[in-house]
Amino acid sequence: MTFTIPGNPVTKKNHQRILKTRDGRSFVAPSAQYKAYEDSAGWFVPAKNINAPVNVKCLYFMETKRRVDLVNLLESTMDILVKYGCLKDDDSKIVQGHDGSRVLLDRKNPRVEVTITKMEDNDG
């Protein structure tokens, strides 16, 4: 299965803010920028509820050459795929690899191209 999430990918970890509850306790929340990206991504993520071992390959086409952490991008994408029901969970029993994932440049069409493939049976 392959699908595309349009827009410049946003990491969850590097875009955080500290907010306070009504009783004054602090907590960490994603930035408004990440939340907007997450909300818009939901329109493009197929709800498949995958619960079998898969490889999730993500090609991140960024609009600038700024430094970015692939692991943080993957974390954000996995959270989005779980939130919108594409994956049942992003633990290692389901997402067994991210083989082929990388960061590329496309100034005119930033996006994430996601390819999910079933893993071969490796029970020996």
Side-chain angles (χ1 to χ4, degrees):
M1 164 183 15
T2 299
F3 58 93
T4 299
I5 302 171
N8 199 45
V10 178
T11 63
K12 191 174 191 178
K13 189 172 185 179
N14 291 343
H15 292 86
Q16 295 178 336
R17 55 192 167 157
I18 299 174
L19 302 176
K20 292 193 182 259
T21 62
R22 290 182 183 163
D23 63 357
R25 287 185 286 164
S26 298
F27 67 98
V28 177
S31 70
Q33 181 185 9
Y34 173 79
K35 188 69 175 131
Y37 175 71
E38 179 185 66
D39 291 345
S40 68
W43 292 99
F44 304 96
V45 176
K48 298 290 188 181
N49 202 30
I50 295 169
N51 192 22
V54 293
N55 181 72
V56 181
K57 173 183 167 183
C58 298
L59 299 179
Y60 295 96
F61 292 88
M62 307 300 285
E63 67 184 359
T64 67
K65 286 185 173 184
R66 69 177 168 78
R67 291 178 56 163
V68 64
D69 189 332
L70 176 61
V71 172
N72 290 344
L73 287 168
L74 287 167
E75 178 185 8
S76 296
T77 302
M78 294 306 102
D79 289 347
I80 288 168
L81 297 184
V82 171
K83 177 177 181 170
Y84 291 106
C86 184
L87 301 173
K88 182 171 180 163
D89 199 351
D90 59 352
D91 66 23
S92 63
K93 289 183 180 180
I94 297 174
V95 179
Q96 293 191 349
H98 294 287
D99 296 347
S101 295
R102 61 187 184 274
V103 177
L104 304 161
L105 178 68
D106 188 338
R107 294 182 194 279
K108 295 184 183 197
N109 185 22
R111 66 197 180 279
V112 181
E113 293 178 359
V114 180
T115 303
I116 301 175
T117 53
K118 185 177 179 183
M119 296 291 285
E120 296 296 322
D121 183 13
N122 59 359
D123 287 340

